[in-house]
Amino acid sequence: MRRTLFVPLRYRHRLLHSAIQPPCLSPIAPCTLRRLHSERLPAEKAARSCTTPLYSPLQQLQLSTERELVSDAGIPQAHVLHRKVLGARMFILNRPEKLNALTLTMVRNMAPQLKAWDVSKLAKFILVKGVGDGRFCAGDDILDVLLKVRAKDPDSLHFFQEKFRLAQMISTLQTPYITLLDGYALGGAIGLFAHGPFRIATERTIFATPEAGIGLCPSSGASFFLAKLDGEIGTYLALTGSRVEGVDTFYTGISTHYVPSVRLGALEDRLIDLETSDHEIIHRVIEEFVEPSSADKTGMQQAMRNTIDRCFKYDSIDEILAALDREKSTTWIRETRQKLLATSPTTLKVTLKALRKARNMTLCDSLKMEFDLVQKFMVTRDFDQGIDSAFISKRRKPQWQPTHISDHEVNQLYFSQPSPNELTFLSNLDMRQYPYARFALPSELDVKLAITGQGSEFHGEQGRLKTQAEVLDWFVKGSRGKRGVREKLLDILERKTVTAEDGSTLIWQDNCTY
C-alpha cells in the first residue's frame, strides 16, 4: 500500500521550504526572528542510515528479556522485530548499537502492525521491550533528525508527524499495552510508553527528558504526561533534564509497576499463558512479580521534593531562579541552578510555558502544540548548536542565541502564530486524564480530592476522608492491596497535611512550610 505523504507530491516543494528554511520564511514577523535568531549553520551532507526490511527473517527468539538476540551471519536484522507467541504480540526494539534510538523507519514499522493487532481477536496483549545494554529506548535518534534538517530532507518533519500519531494511537488502544522499561527510557521514548496502561520499571530503569539541554522542546506528549506528575516534579525534570532511576520512577508515577529485572522473563511467560485481554487480570498478574515495598524508599527524598515544589511552582524562569537563590545553598541547589543557566534561555521559557498550557489541554491538543513548536525549533540555531555539541563536536559548549529573550517575545514567536504544517490524527479519540491511572500509585491530587471532599465520590465536607486511618483504608482497599500504596500515602500525608486541634482530623495544605 502506498503511503500517504503529509502533503500531496505536487506540494512537496512547499513542505521543504516551510519545514526547513530559516525562520524568516515562517508566518512569524521576519524582522523579529532575524533579530532573535541568527542564521543556521551551513548545511552538511546528511548521513543516510541503511534501510532495513520491516520483518526479520529470523524465526527463533529467546523470550526472556535477559537474553540477547543473535542474528545469523549475513542476515539483515530489522530495527523493530515482531513476534507472536499464543495470544502475545511483541515489538522488540532491535537497534542496540544506538541504544534503540527511534528513527522514521522504526515508527513506520510499528504503526500499521499496532493497528492490526489492536483489532485482532487473537491478540490478548501487546508488549514492547528492547535488546542490548541500553535495553528499552534512548529516545529519538535526534542526530539523524539534525542531519536531515541540514540536508533539507522533509523526513525530518515526517518523523515527528508520524511518531506523534503513533503516540496518540497507543493512547487509544483497546488491547492491553505493556512496556518493559528495563534500562534507558529517555526523551522521545515517552511516546512509546507514557500513554499506555502498564509501564513496568526495574532497578535498571533510567528516565530523563533531556530535550531542553539540546535546544528542543518536549515531544511525543511529554508536556501532557509531565504535567500529570505529582507537584512540580514534571516541571523540574523537563527544565533540568535530571534523571529518575529505578524504584523512584514508580513512586513518582512515571512507571506503574516495579519488577526486578531477574523476574521479567518469568513475568513474560506468565503473561503469555493468559487467555484474556482483561486489563484488571493483567494488572493482578503483574502485581504477583513486583518487588516488596520498603518503608525506607518512597521516591525522592522529602527535602528535595519540598524544595522542588517550592521553587518550580512559578510560571517564569526568572522567578524559579530567584526561588532557588532564596534556598539554603546545598550541592543540589547549586547543581540545579547551574543546569538551568547552562540551558538555552529560549528553550527553557518555551518548555515552561508549554507545560503550563498542557495542564488544561487534552493529549491530542498537547501533541498538536508540540508539533507546532518542533517546527519552530528545527529552524533555530539553538537546535543545531545543541545537538551538534552533544553528538558531533561533543567538547564544544553550545553558544545559545539569543542569550536573553523576554516572556513577551517567547509568546509572540512560539505561541501566537501557527507553524505551516498542522498535525492531524487518524481517529478522533482523545483524553484529558489517563483512563488507566488506577493501575499506578495514587497521585497527590487523588489524595487531595479525598481529604478536601472535592472528589465526586466524596460529596463535599460531609463525605470527605478526615483521618489518616480513613485515607489509608480507602486507598489500600481501592487498589486491592497494590504494593507501594501505603508507603506513598504516608509520604504524601506527612508532607501535605497538618492535624487539626482535635488531634486526628487532617487538613490539606498546598503551601506547607517545611
Side-chain angles (χ1 to χ4, degrees):
M1 180 183 298
R2 179 167 37 168
R3 297 188 180 278
T4 302
L5 294 176
F6 187 41
V7 294
L9 278 174
R10 63 182 179 274
Y11 296 138
R12 185 162 180 168
H13 67 284
R14 298 188 186 179
L15 176 61
L16 274 169
H17 287 290
S18 63
I20 57 182
Q21 289 298 306
C24 59
L25 296 183
S26 72
I28 304 170
C31 59
T32 306
L33 276 169
R34 280 196 296 268
R35 177 166 56 85
L36 291 174
H37 299 288
S38 60
E39 293 296 322
R40 290 184 47 238
L41 297 180
E44 295 185 5
K45 188 177 295 184
R48 303 283 183 174
S49 57
C50 297
T51 302
T52 55
L54 292 183
Y55 300 94
S56 167
L58 295 180
Q59 299 299 318
Q60 299 298 323
L61 170 67
Q62 301 282 10
L63 290 183
S64 172
T65 306
E66 291 301 302
R67 302 167 189 168
E68 297 292 339
L69 292 177
V70 180
S71 62
D72 293 338
I75 300 179
Q77 279 278 72
H79 288 162
V80 181
L81 306 179
H82 303 178
R83 287 294 178 267
K84 299 179 183 179
V85 184
L86 299 179
R89 300 295 183 266
M90 301 184 187
F91 287 119
I92 303 169
L93 306 181
N94 185 41
R95 201 183 176 212
E97 71 281 3
K98 296 293 185 179
L99 301 178
N100 298 325
L102 297 170
T103 63
L104 179 60
T105 299
M106 296 169 72
V107 172
R108 287 176 172 172
N109 177 314
M110 297 179 69
Q113 187 61 69
L114 184 68
K115 184 176 181 180
W117 282 345
D118 191 39
V119 298
S120 171
K121 294 182 179 180
L122 298 177
K124 302 304 180 184
F125 68 87
I126 300 168
L127 184 143
V128 186
K129 62 180 181 178
V131 300
D133 293 337
R135 285 305 193 277
F136 186 66
C137 178
D140 301 334
D141 190 340
I142 201 67
L143 175 58
D144 182 62
V145 173
L146 173 63
L147 295 176
K148 283 182 168 60
V149 168
R150 288 176 171 180
K152 300 184 179 181
D153 187 338
D155 278 351
S156 59
L157 189 59
H158 289 162
F159 170 73
F160 290 105
Q161 173 211 355
E162 298 186 30
K163 183 161 174 286
F164 289 10
R165 285 179 175 172
L166 177 63
Q168 188 264 354
M169 185 188 303
I170 290 171
S171 75
T172 63
L173 293 174
Q174 298 300 308
T175 305
Y177 181 84
I178 306 167
T179 46
L180 302 184
L181 310 181
D182 186 31
Y184 290 118
L186 307 178
I190 280 180
L192 293 187
F193 73 85
H195 314 306
F198 302 111
R199 310 182 295 275
I200 301 174
T202 74
E203 74 282 359
R204 297 190 296 214
T205 300
I206 299 175
F207 171 85
T209 53
E211 286 88 348
I214 57 174
L216 188 59
C217 59
S219 69
S220 304
S223 60
F224 183 84
F225 178 70
L226 294 174
K228 298 287 187 290
L229 297 183
D230 289 342
E232 297 299 335
I233 291 176
T235 306
Y236 164 72
L237 295 177
L239 296 179
T240 65
S242 298
R243 292 183 171 189
V244 182
E245 301 183 13
V247 72
D248 289 352
T249 65
F250 175 56
Y251 284 107
T252 55
I254 294 164
S255 62
T256 59
H257 300 79
Y258 179 75
V259 176
S261 57
V262 295
R263 300 180 187 175
L264 291 181
L267 171 60
E268 287 184 41
D269 293 341
R270 178 75 174 88
L271 290 170
I272 288 170
D273 288 338
L274 295 178
E275 296 181 357
T276 179
S277 289
D278 189 304
H279 283 79
E280 295 290 344
I281 293 177
I282 289 176
H283 168 60
R284 291 200 291 272
V285 167
I286 298 173
E287 281 292 309
E288 296 173 6
F289 293 83
V290 302
E291 178 79 4
S293 304
S294 171
D296 298 329
K297 186 64 174 175
T298 55
M300 296 179 178
Q301 295 179 356
Q302 280 199 7
M304 181 187 296
R305 272 301 324 278
N306 297 337
T307 304
I308 288 173
D309 287 353
R310 280 198 304 271
C311 297
F312 285 84
K313 66 183 179 181
Y314 298 101
D315 295 335
S316 78
I317 299 299
D318 292 340
E319 288 178 297
I320 290 174
L321 288 169
L324 289 169
D325 288 339
R326 290 193 296 269
E327 296 290 326
K328 180 181 178 181
S329 181
T330 64
T331 300
W332 181 82
I333 289 289
R334 290 192 295 272
E335 290 177 350
T336 300
R337 193 174 186 280
Q338 183 57 38
K339 288 177 181 178
L340 294 176
L341 294 176
T343 302
S344 160
T346 302
T347 304
L348 282 179
K349 293 194 173 186
V350 172
T351 297
L352 180 58
K353 187 172 181 65
L355 289 173
R356 297 298 186 251
K357 289 174 68 68
R359 288 176 173 175
N360 300 312
M361 285 182 166
T362 65
L363 174 60
C364 288
D365 287 340
S366 298
L367 288 166
K368 289 178 179 179
M369 173 183 66
E370 291 172 0
F371 186 65
D372 180 89
L373 293 174
V374 161
Q375 294 176 66
K376 292 167 181 173
F377 272 100
M378 286 170 65
V379 296
T380 64
R381 184 180 179 87
D382 280 4
F383 177 80
D384 192 299
Q385 283 273 299
I387 299 173
D388 187 287
S389 64
F391 298 100
I392 300 177
S393 59
K394 295 185 179 180
R395 296 182 180 179
R396 179 169 55 84
K397 292 183 179 181
Q399 301 299 311
W400 306 121
Q401 293 184 9
T403 57
H404 179 270
I405 183 171
S406 69
D407 293 336
H408 175 72
E409 289 170 322
V410 164
N411 186 63
Q412 290 298 312
L413 284 169
Y414 290 92
F415 294 95
S416 295
Q417 297 291 334
S419 295
N421 305 286
E422 183 181 359
L423 181 65
T424 58
F425 301 103
L426 301 180
S427 77
N428 295 322
L429 297 177
D430 201 356
M431 64 174 71
R432 287 194 176 274
Q433 301 293 333
Y434 288 115
Y436 297 108
R438 64 186 182 276
F439 298 137
L441 293 178
S443 68
E444 285 185 5
L445 178 60
D446 294 331
V447 180
K448 175 182 178 179
L449 294 177
I451 292 176
T452 60
Q454 295 173 1
S456 59
E457 63 268 51
F458 300 104
H459 309 293
E461 177 66 25
Q462 296 302 315
R464 76 182 186 92
L465 305 182
K466 296 181 174 63
T467 67
Q468 176 175 297
E470 289 178 350
V471 172
L472 294 175
D473 184 65
W474 171 274
F475 283 100
V476 170
K477 285 184 177 178
S479 67
R480 297 186 178 182
K482 178 179 174 65
R483 304 282 182 87
V485 171
R486 181 182 178 85
E487 290 74 17
K488 181 169 183 181
L489 288 173
L490 290 173
D491 174 69
I492 293 174
L493 293 177
E494 184 176 349
R495 290 187 297 103
K496 306 297 289 186
T497 65
V498 294
T499 305
E501 293 181 358
D502 62 9
S504 61
T505 302
L506 296 175
I507 300 175
W508 183 271
Q509 292 196 338
D510 282 314
N511 298 312
C512 290
T513 301
Y514 305 105

